[in-house]
Amino acid sequence: MDPKPSLPTSDMICFALYSATHAMQHAYKPLLEALGLTYPQYLVLVALWGSDGQTVGQLGQALQLESNTLTPLLKRMEAQGLVARARDAKDERQVRVSLSTAGREMQARAAGIPGCILERSGMSLAGLTALRDQVNALRDQLRGA
Amino acid sequence: MDPKPSLPTSDMICFALYSATHAMQHAYKPLLEALGLTYPQYLVLVALWGSDGQTVGQLGQALQLESNTLTPLLKRMEAQGLVARARDAKDERQVRVSLSTAGREMQARAAGIPGCILERSGMSLAGLTALRDQVNALRDQLRGA
DNA sequence: GTTAAATGCATCGCACACGATTTAATCGCA
DNA sequence: TGCGATTAAATCGTGTGCGATGCATTTAAC
């Protein structure tokens, strides 16, 4: 299952994250496909459902993505009619992203997704939470160093 | 730090993996850049250092990648002179990938990388190993269903 | 009040990643 | 032997990701 049992541990944890991320996206894919969304697009919607009208920079902070990734992604979502993009009147350097009606309605249609994934994971909520905290701790250590 | 505290847990573990993977690749990047490698290319080399002359399919099995990802990746590595690609004489459907001299020499030049990452992670070897096993278990659960 | 620096977003180029399809080689079975 | 089914790579199109760069706007300094 693992690429090579003799791999150094630090390489193996990295590969584990790498392949688990792929497996996770694979699990989300059929659920999101039914809504016409990709995984990063879903993340943008989740962020906006939590707080609408965020700037591109705030979304990037939340999702750990740069503007060069977000701009084309948001433009595709705008073309799909999920969000609207508009320069902030106070500071015209900033672009605020807001949910359209279709974008808000998507929340109800996507409501079943987390439960589906939770079930597929075969883990308890407490187990997942603990794992999440450990993975986040590793991430912050690597980023913050 | 997290996108939204109110996110469902199964979404949050997924995002944790997603962002930790990015952070990990970010940590590898400067080390690999000095060798002229990307992270997936490094993974291919690690796999070949373990067992040279694998087929494209075997590499895909090891790295959990499809031929549509591997073929252009391997072609770039061939253009760089790291590997050679040749049809198997016994079964000409298969393409065997073997290390060049430069590809083998890269192993010594990359020897310090796992130690660097281990240090950057700020975790003990045992801690990393335990985390790796949990992440792998989640991945297998998602994949194997 | 004009200029220099910083900020926020967009553009460009490159490298994955994958679903769907195609092509070439091998296998299975009558 | 022959030919459809299967298998292994390669190809095609779309969508991220990110480093480097550019441009417009705002802020700070003088």
Side-chain angles (χ1 to χ4, degrees), chain A residues 28 31-32 34-37 41-52 54 77 81-83 98-115, chain B residues 4-8 11:
Chain A
Y28 271 93
L31 304 173
L32 293 175
L35 306 180
L37 296 173
Q41 288 170 5
Y42 172 69
L43 288 182
V44 167
L45 287 182
V46 168
L48 291 177
W49 293 332
S51 167
D52 198 0
Q54 295 188 60
M77 293 179 74
L82 293 170
V83 301
S98 46
L99 290 163
S100 68
T101 304
R104 266 186 301 274
E105 284 170 354
M106 194 67 85
Q107 185 168 18
R109 299 176 61 197
I113 290 181
Chain B
K4 267 282 130 184
S6 56
L7 259 183
D11 273 2

Side-chain angles (χ1 to χ4, degrees), chain A residues 12-130:
Chain A
M12 293 186 73
I13 176 63
C14 186
F15 179 76
L17 291 172
Y18 175 80
S19 59
T21 298
H22 291 166
M24 192 65 93
Q25 300 220 22
H26 188 76
Y28 271 93
K29 180 165 269 272
L31 304 173
L32 293 175
E33 217 158 47
L35 306 180
L37 296 173
T38 64
Y39 181 64
Q41 288 170 5
Y42 172 69
L43 288 182
V44 167
L45 287 182
V46 168
L48 291 177
W49 293 332
S51 167
D52 198 0
Q54 295 188 60
T55 67
V56 172
Q58 288 171 327
L59 284 173
Q61 187 77 15
L63 308 182
Q64 293 294 303
L65 295 173
E66 306 293 325
S67 72
N68 51 12
T69 297
L70 279 174
T71 294
L73 195 162
L74 292 171
K75 280 186 173 178
R76 279 187 287 270
M77 293 179 74
E78 188 177 39
Q80 281 186 258
L82 293 170
V83 301
R85 295 157 63 249
R87 294 264 165 202
D88 188 304
K90 293 283 199 306
D91 184 343
E92 298 221 340
R93 289 173 303 179
Q94 300 184 111
V95 168
R96 294 209 170 264
V97 183
S98 46
L99 290 163
S100 68
T101 304
R104 266 186 301 274
E105 284 170 354
M106 194 67 85
Q107 185 168 18
R109 299 176 61 197
I113 290 181
C116 263
I117 297 297
L118 177 60
E119 190 185 354
R120 279 285 298 279
S121 79
M123 291 179 66
S124 71
L125 223 125
L128 268 190
T129 302

Side-chain angles (χ1 to χ4, degrees), chain B residues 7-55:
Chain B
L7 259 183
T9 301
S10 53
D11 273 2
M12 292 187 74
I13 176 64
C14 186
F15 178 76
L17 291 172
Y18 175 79
S19 58
T21 298
H22 291 165
M24 191 64 93
Q25 299 219 25
H26 188 76
Y28 270 93
K29 180 164 266 274
L31 304 173
L32 292 175
E33 218 158 45
L35 305 179
L37 296 174
T38 64
Y39 181 64
Q41 288 172 4
Y42 172 68
L43 288 182
V44 167
L45 287 181
V46 168
L48 291 177
W49 291 332
S51 167
D52 199 359
Q54 295 187 60
T55 67

